[in-house]
Amino acid sequence: MSHRASLLGRGYQDRHLDSPRVRFRRALALCLMTIVVPGSAQIALGKKVIGWLAVTMWVALLGAVGFLYWKYRTDRAQVLTWFTDPDILFAVRLGMVVVALLWVALFIDACRLGSPFRLTFVRGAVIAIVNLAIIGSVATSTAFASQLIEVQRSVVKTVFKETKTSTPLQGRYNILLIGSDARADRTGIRPDTLVVASIDADTGKVVLVSLPRNLQNVPFSEDSPMRQVYPYGFNCGSECLLNAVHTTASNRTDLYPDSDDPGLDATIDAVEGVTALKINYYIMVNLNGFKGLVDAVGGVDMDVKTRIAMFGHDDAYKQKYIEIGQQKLDGQQALWYARSRVQSDDYTRMGRQKCLMAAMANQLSPATVVTKASKIGKAGKVC
């Protein structure tokens, strides 16, 4: 082959490699390469320092995530500790934003390296749309994830302030769930609902033990300061019911000098005395917080077995009911379903409360929690 023919052949190959179709495919490939392995597009086009630095950081990040998953995949306690540590959540949020910004910068650079302005209008528009879609997806998902983390961090800082941990008793964690009727027009706090959730530390299976609000002569645990005052149980008259312990002991700083809430500590002592279970933790929810939580998740589906009155003895003129049948209850209806005592009794009400908690637990899917995290977080702050 002559020298002239060789030059003609090389020129044809150069024109082919730089044809509009090849340029379009190359630009599209650079975008896809940046999705799979950030930095690989830069390596392919000779920007090796930036490219290898990005690839190294990406591989290190994937390796770190993989290692943490492999090492702590069965250590639920450690994972929960991370997700309830405000400092760790802030660091994760900051790291996520930094990674997203660097990734977007690599996308923009990959788009530039693809020379979109040398393409035809249609092909250039396609590349631009693809890159904008990728960048928009990264930015949107990062902003959404960042907001979820901030909501979690805010809830942890506002609601879960305690830092002490408690060991299980005979393989179980016992958590006292308290439904408070505290309102601006009422004096003191009367726990309207008292339920002990006993959780198996290994399997996570839960047993719910409800305590009647009107339980009389409740004993206090042996090490309780209230036992000194009431050695034979809380037997000071017809008003000395279980839900009155909090109000009675609310100002007894002489009995609980190191307590921020003597009434709550006395209530826990009473529950421990009744059940002979050591309470590890407690959760207190007030009326507005409960209503807000149900509304935040879009209501709760319940199979209502009997007609439930949505009024008390003092406002019986309202004659408003939750009817029998399959119903989606909003926050106000769910609150009456759990608390109504008209044409009912405390034991029936306790059964309804456990049904309601079970229904909410079954219906709170991960997707619901994620998509409604902000509303759930705001409701949690009211609780």
Side-chain angles (χ1 to χ4, degrees), residues 305-341:
K305 302 295 185 181
T306 58
R307 206 178 186 208
I308 307 297
M310 292 183 64
F311 52 84
H313 296 290
D314 297 332
D315 55 357
Y317 62 89
K318 293 182 178 179
Q319 293 297 303
K320 187 176 181 181
Y321 295 88
I322 302 172
E323 299 297 339
I324 296 174
Q326 195 69 31
Q327 307 277 359
K328 178 176 279 294
L329 308 182
D330 61 20
Q332 183 70 7
Q333 292 172 319
L335 184 61
W336 277 108
Y337 180 88
R339 299 186 70 237
S340 181
R341 291 199 300 271

Side-chain angles (χ1 to χ4, degrees), residues 57-301:
M57 293 174 61
W58 180 247
V59 171
L61 178 62
L62 293 180
V65 172
F67 172 77
L68 291 175
Y69 172 77
W70 174 79
K71 185 173 179 61
Y72 297 103
R73 64 189 185 278
T74 59
D75 193 346
R76 291 177 294 180
Q78 182 60 59
V79 174
L80 287 174
T81 299
W82 290 338
F83 277 94
T84 54
D85 188 317
D87 294 332
I88 292 179
L89 291 173
F90 177 76
V92 171
R93 187 186 186 200
L94 181 61
M96 184 183 301
V97 172
V98 171
V99 170
L101 290 175
L102 293 175
W103 205 351
V104 168
L106 290 173
F107 275 120
I108 295 174
D109 188 54
C111 180
R112 181 188 64 81
L113 293 174
S115 303
F117 297 108
R118 298 181 60 195
L119 300 173
T120 63
F121 175 79
V122 174
R123 287 170 174 165
V126 171
I127 294 299
I129 292 173
V130 169
N131 274 279
L132 288 175
I134 293 172
I135 292 172
S137 298
V138 172
T140 302
S141 58
T142 301
F144 181 68
S146 177
Q147 177 62 20
L148 289 181
I149 293 175
E150 180 55 26
V151 169
Q152 171 75 0
R153 184 168 176 265
S154 179
V155 171
V156 168
K157 292 176 66 176
T158 305
V159 180
F160 302 102
K161 298 180 180 179
E162 295 295 333
T163 58
K164 295 180 180 179
T165 58
S166 181
T167 57
L169 176 67
Q170 296 180 349
R172 305 191 72 86
Y173 287 102
N174 301 310
I175 302 175
L176 177 60
L177 310 177
I178 305 173
S180 163
D181 68 352
R183 290 199 313 239
D185 60 344
R186 291 184 174 182
T187 301
I189 293 177
R190 289 177 297 176
D192 203 45
T193 301
L194 292 164
V195 179
V196 177
S198 184
I199 306 171
D200 189 290
D202 295 324
T203 65
K205 291 184 178 181
V206 182
V207 175
L208 297 178
V209 180
S210 295
L211 300 174
R213 56 179 286 279
N214 60 348
L215 196 61
Q216 294 179 309
N217 298 325
V218 293
F220 293 95
S221 57
E222 292 185 0
D223 58 347
S224 171
M226 287 289 283
R227 195 179 181 94
Q228 303 172 17
V229 184
Y230 303 100
Y232 304 107
F234 193 46
N235 58 354
C236 56
S238 60
E239 295 299 317
C240 284
L241 309 176
L242 176 58
N243 72 336
V245 171
H246 191 289
T247 301
T248 301
S250 60
N251 296 319
R252 296 304 301 264
T253 54
D254 57 321
L255 297 177
Y256 299 91
D258 300 324
S259 174
D260 294 330
D261 189 344
L264 176 60
D265 287 334
T267 300
I268 293 175
D269 288 347
V271 172
E272 290 182 342
V274 173
T275 62
L277 296 174
K278 185 69 176 177
I279 301 299
N280 298 91
Y281 304 100
Y282 77 92
I283 299 174
M284 181 180 288
V285 180
N286 65 28
L287 304 184
N288 289 330
F290 177 78
K291 288 193 295 184
L293 179 61
V294 174
D295 287 332
V297 299
V300 56
D301 293 317

